[in-house]
């Protein structure tokens, strides 16, 4: 759900309540427009855990840190990928840039609407469908271009799907 936030809005009470209750973990701000996101369905959460496990396994030898979800961007324009890899030494509430982010698809989510944002903030995006394929996109000249191989992970998408138990 998208919510446009004027400076004084009754919606602010709802947002503050979501924050107090810890319900805003996946909420995002898209250039000043608040996007409310519910916690993921079980299939999503299960795949997300497997993704983080794979990233943790691969991060150390590449001098990267794995984790997720996290705030990618800045306070008034950020997305919350399900997982990602950042350079060692990255810290703080806001991560300006990531080497790789992962979006696990859920019904009706906005993953593909985020491609332009990711093209300026990440080297690579993996889109994992719990019921379908793994897709890989490389940032190239301000666009995300689909590819069959992850340059960051060093595997093709079929191998990534296999390692995640999706093939």
């Amino acid at each position: 759900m998208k919510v446009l936030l004027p400076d004084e809005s009754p919606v602010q009470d709802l947002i503050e309540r979501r924050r107090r209750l810890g319900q805003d973990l996946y909420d995002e701000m898209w250039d000043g427009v608040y996007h409310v996101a519910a916690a993921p369905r079980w299939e999503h959460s299960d795949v997300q855990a497997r993704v983080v496990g794979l990233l943790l396994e691969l991060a150390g030898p590449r001098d990267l840190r794995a984790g997720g979800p996290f705030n990618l961007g800045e306070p008034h324009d950020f997305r919350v990928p399900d997982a990602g890899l950042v350079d060692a030494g990255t810290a703080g509430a806001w991560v300006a840039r990531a080497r790789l982010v992962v979006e696990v698809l859920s019904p009706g989510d906005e993953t593909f609407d985020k491609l332009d944002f990711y093209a300026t903030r990440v080297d690579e995006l993996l889109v994992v469908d719990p019921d379908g394929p793994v897709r890989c996109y490389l940032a190239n000249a301000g666009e995300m271009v689909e590819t069959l191989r992850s340059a960051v992970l060093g595997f093709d998408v079929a191998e990534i799907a296999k390692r995640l138990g999706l093939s």
Side-chain angles (χ1 to χ4, degrees), residues 1-164:
M1 172 173 77
K2 301 174 192 176
V3 179
L4 182 60
L5 293 178
D7 290 337
E8 298 296 323
S9 170
V11 176
Q12 287 289 22
D13 291 339
L14 171 65
I15 291 169
E16 288 306 316
R17 180 173 177 257
R18 288 179 58 74
R19 284 185 183 137
R20 279 193 313 274
L21 295 173
Q23 298 171 334
D24 66 332
L25 180 63
Y26 291 94
D27 293 356
E28 299 176 336
M29 183 74 75
W30 295 27
D31 198 23
V33 177
Y34 197 86
H35 290 239
V36 175
R41 62 186 178 133
W42 174 251
E43 296 85 352
H44 177 125
S45 186
D46 176 55
V47 170
Q48 180 182 2
R50 286 187 265 156
V51 165
V52 170
L54 177 62
L55 295 181
L56 284 169
E57 174 189 327
L58 299 173
R62 292 171 171 84
D63 201 26
L64 300 171
R65 295 179 63 198
F70 61 96
N71 299 314
L72 178 68
E74 52 197 58
H76 292 289
D77 193 19
F78 66 92
R79 310 300 180 270
V80 182
D82 293 301
L85 290 172
V86 299
D87 290 320
T90 299
W94 305 101
V95 175
R97 183 151 185 79
R99 295 288 307 280
L100 175 137
V101 295
V102 180
E103 288 280 354
V104 179
L105 293 180
S106 287
D109 78 11
E110 299 176 294
T111 293
F112 293 102
D113 296 333
K114 301 177 187 183
L115 293 181
D116 289 342
F117 177 85
Y118 284 144
T120 64
R121 300 277 185 168
V122 304
D123 297 333
E124 198 168 287
L125 165 68
L126 287 180
V127 178
V128 180
D129 185 342
D131 302 317
V134 173
R135 294 184 179 125
C136 183
Y137 297 86
L138 297 176
N140 184 2
E143 294 184 359
M144 296 306 282
V145 178
E146 190 166 4
T147 182
L148 296 177
R149 184 170 179 79
S150 167
V152 174
L153 298 179
F155 298 111
D156 63 32
V157 292
E159 178 64 21
I160 294 167
K162 181 179 175 184
R163 285 174 172 251
L164 293 174

